């Protein structure tokens, strides 16, 4: 194995270990098929290098972070897909029931709307802010975590999504 290949393998292993720890700490589960999971992680690392953000390895990126914000892994669709289908669209994450063998995986339909419909469904404007509220309320688009504070947290304390994944809720 060349030095470059060795570095790539190490990079994938480090990412895999970090993700395994994070998912365990936050109550999520990685697909137990390590080879499959590492193949998806390779795609995430490649996308991070190519676009500057780790967009979903199973979806076509627009190469524009604002447009792809909903498909930066973990995407906005992970949790509803886990609840409904037992896995995210790529099957990088699986539910408890799938992990225990109580549910079998089948193909997962794409939940992401086409671009025009996504634009029409943008989150409500800050006009909806409740009068008299001391702080704005922020919502993590990935896991739904809410917090009322002047500034956004750098990282979601629940799912570890970065600050850019938050939207103003109220
Ligand atoms: S969580 Fe979303 S972005 Fe990440 S691998 Fe699964 S489907 Fe793709």
């Amino acid at each position: 194995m060349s030095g470059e290949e060795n570095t790539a393998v190490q990079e994938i292993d480090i990412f895999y270990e970090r993700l395994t720890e994070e998912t365990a700490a936050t109550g999520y589960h990685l697909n137990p098929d390590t080879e499959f999971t590492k193949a998806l992680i390779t795609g995430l690392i490649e996308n991070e290098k190519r676009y500057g953000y780790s967009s979903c390895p199973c979806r076509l990126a627009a190469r524009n972070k604002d447009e792809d914000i909903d498909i930066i892994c973990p995407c906005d669709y992970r949790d509803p897909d886990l609840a409904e289908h037992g896995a995210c669209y790529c099957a990088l994450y699986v539910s408890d029931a799938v992990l225990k063998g109580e549910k079998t995986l089948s193909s997962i339909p794409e939940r992401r709307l086409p671009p025009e419909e996504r634009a029409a469904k943008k989150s409500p404007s800050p006009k909806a802010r409740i009068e008299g509220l001391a702080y704005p309320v922020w919502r993590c688009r990935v896991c739904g975590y809410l917090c009322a504070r002047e500034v956004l947290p750098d990282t979601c304390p629940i799912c570890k999504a970065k600050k850019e994944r938050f939207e103003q809720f109220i």
Side-chain angles (χ1 to χ4, degrees):
M1 195 184 286
S2 72
E4 210 169 285
E5 282 168 342
N6 203 24
T7 308
V9 170
Q10 278 181 356
E11 199 177 355
I12 294 162
D13 286 345
I14 290 168
F15 196 124
Y16 176 76
E17 293 306 325
R18 181 177 56 76
L19 206 54
T20 303
E21 276 173 31
E22 266 179 29
T23 49
T26 52
Y28 290 93
H29 310 290
L30 285 184
N31 193 314
D33 181 338
T34 312
E35 203 179 318
F36 174 81
T37 298
K38 285 189 177 179
L40 289 172
I41 285 174
T42 306
L44 287 172
I45 293 172
E46 280 169 3
N47 286 349
E48 171 83 46
K49 287 180 181 163
R50 198 177 292 146
Y51 311 129
Y53 51 91
S54 52
S55 74
C56 182
C58 310
R59 293 174 167 116
L60 198 60
R63 296 170 174 259
N64 174 322
K65 195 171 182 181
D66 287 342
E67 277 182 50
D68 289 336
I69 197 80
D70 58 323
I71 55 163
I72 295 176
C73 191
C75 62
D76 292 5
Y77 314 103
R78 176 187 64 176
D79 286 13
D81 278 342
L82 278 172
E84 194 173 336
H85 304 292
C88 68
Y89 185 58
C90 294
L92 174 63
Y93 292 92
V94 297
S95 68
D96 215 30
V98 167
L99 194 71
K100 288 178 182 158
E102 295 163 3
K103 184 178 169 100
T104 324
L105 280 186
S106 52
S107 78
I108 297 144
E110 174 59 294
R111 185 179 293 272
R112 190 186 197 209
L113 296 171
E116 326 74 60
E117 289 178 52
R118 282 204 306 279
K121 259 192 104 181
K122 282 259 185 242
S123 42
S125 82
K127 268 196 283 170
R129 184 192 279 248
I130 296 172
E131 230 177 279
L133 211 58
Y135 299 100
V137 177
W138 306 97
R139 175 182 178 274
C140 172
R141 291 163 48 123
V142 176
C143 71
Y145 166 75
L146 293 176
C147 62
R149 52 193 282 179
E150 207 54 70
V151 287
L152 280 167
D154 279 339
T155 307
C156 174
I158 305 300
C159 71
K160 312 297 177 207
K162 290 187 189 157
K163 138 197 228 174
E164 66 212 16
R165 307 299 298 278
F166 276 75
E167 62 186 0
Q168 188 166 351
F169 184 62
I170 299 173

